[in-house]
Amino acid sequence: MNKVLETNLIDDRSQKLWEYINQNLTVDIQLTKNTLEYGCYFINDTATIYVPKNNLDKNSFAHEMLHLKIRCKKIFLGSNLTRNIQASQNLRNIFPDELIEHITNCLDHMRMLPEYLEMGFDRKKFILDYEQDKLLDKELAELKYHYNSQREKARDIFIGKYFAAKACPNIDHNYEKNLNQLKELDTNLYIIQETLVNDWMKLDFDTDDILADSYIEASIKYIESMEAYYSQIFL
């Protein structure tokens, strides 16, 4: 990274994280145009961080580094979920890749936010759509209305809205009431998602204990529960 970019993207709060990422990965920074959104891509031991040319921001760059830190810990929940779903005759055609990516991104955010705040970064800049309510009353009402007539699509929306609300960093939004309504709408599906979140949040990313819970076990448990759920719904 050239000095101009480094000055605009890294400071004392994130220097150690940047050094850790570079010790574990080969990192390429690519400037992008016509967007304000950051992103990162990871394969093997190589990572690319996409940085909007017109939005150089230390908060957003730290966010992407925290995504990569999870990958450095050899935690690959998203790719594991994708493989297991593609191997499942019941799920492969009704569980879109976009939903898996959304679930993984939200789970990452749940683990990242405490460290991001501890480093001293701005909560309001953790995600681009920070102000947006992720589970509006009108969205919930529409979901309820279509829940039995549009079974696959409605359940994709259910899962997506659940994870978006659970991962939302904006403490001004109170999702308790609407999450309870989601649970009442489909208790079994809700519990499956909640179990994945709980399993994920209790994982120790730094343990060397081979008997400790792993993301692979959490993934398999989730897939098995979703297969059982969908086999009942689509009988």
Side-chain angles (χ1 to χ4, degrees):
M1 185 190 302
N2 66 51
K3 286 296 182 182
V4 174
L5 275 180
E6 186 170 345
T7 300
N8 283 278
L9 296 175
I10 298 169
D11 60 20
D12 292 344
R13 298 170 296 174
S14 56
Q15 183 63 41
K16 287 184 178 179
L17 177 59
W18 175 241
E19 291 171 358
Y20 173 81
I21 298 299
N22 279 273
Q23 287 168 2
N24 289 274
L25 301 172
T26 300
V27 183
D28 178 37
I29 306 298
Q30 289 199 13
L31 294 176
T32 58
K33 299 178 181 180
N34 304 318
T35 181
L36 297 177
E37 191 169 355
Y38 281 66
C40 63
Y41 176 76
F42 174 94
I43 184 168
N44 299 324
D45 292 323
T46 301
T48 302
I49 302 179
Y50 299 98
V51 176
K53 187 175 182 179
N54 296 322
N55 182 31
L56 301 182
D57 184 85
K58 295 172 183 176
N59 299 272
S60 299
F61 194 74
H63 176 116
E64 299 307 323
M65 286 196 290
L66 287 169
H67 273 297
L68 293 178
K69 182 179 179 180
I70 295 176
R71 306 291 91 79
C72 289
K73 299 293 185 180
K74 308 301 181 185
I75 306 294
F76 307 113
L77 181 64
S79 58
N80 192 271
L81 283 173
T82 299
R83 282 196 303 271
N84 287 332
I85 286 171
Q86 291 301 321
S88 168
Q89 292 184 346
N90 292 331
L91 299 181
R92 69 177 64 156
N93 295 322
I94 55 178
F95 218 108
D97 290 343
E98 294 80 6
L99 182 57
I100 303 171
E101 183 179 350
H102 174 67
I103 291 171
T104 305
N105 196 47
C106 288
L107 289 170
D108 272 8
H109 287 180
M110 293 178 205
R111 293 294 297 249
M112 290 161 48
L113 181 61
E115 183 171 359
Y116 173 90
L117 296 174
E118 186 177 338
M119 292 167 68
F121 289 104
D122 187 348
R123 177 185 288 271
K124 293 183 178 180
K125 292 188 176 181
F126 184 66
I127 55 175
L128 201 59
D129 60 347
Y130 176 83
E131 298 294 345
Q132 180 182 334
D133 191 314
K134 307 301 188 293
L135 185 55
L136 294 168
D137 290 343
K138 63 180 181 181
E139 293 173 330
L140 186 56
E142 185 174 356
L143 178 62
K144 290 179 179 178
Y145 182 78
H146 293 292
Y147 205 65
N148 292 321
S149 61
Q150 300 180 10
R151 293 185 298 177
E152 293 180 17
K153 181 179 179 180
R155 281 153 182 82
D156 287 351
I157 294 172
F158 181 110
I159 295 170
K161 288 296 178 182
Y162 167 86
F163 279 99
K166 293 290 285 190
C168 181
N170 190 334
I171 56 178
D172 292 331
H173 296 313
N174 187 347
Y175 294 106
E176 183 177 359
K177 177 176 70 73
N178 283 354
L179 282 172
N180 283 335
Q181 290 188 50
L182 266 188
K183 188 174 184 178
E184 291 175 4
L185 178 62
D186 194 330
T187 301
N188 289 340
L189 186 58
Y190 187 96
I191 290 175
I192 294 170
Q193 314 316 309
E194 190 88 332
T195 300
L196 176 60
V197 169
N198 292 338
D199 289 345
W200 171 254
M201 295 304 291
K202 71 181 182 183
L203 289 179
D204 182 353
F205 288 177
D206 296 310
T207 185
D208 292 324
D209 183 358
I210 62 173
L211 298 179
D213 292 334
S214 72
Y215 77 91
I216 296 175
E217 291 171 330
S219 172
I220 292 172
K221 182 178 175 181
Y222 180 72
I223 295 299
E224 289 176 346
S225 297
M226 290 300 298
E227 283 185 321
Y229 172 84
Y230 274 114
S231 66
Q232 294 177 343
I233 294 299
F234 296 103
L235 282 176

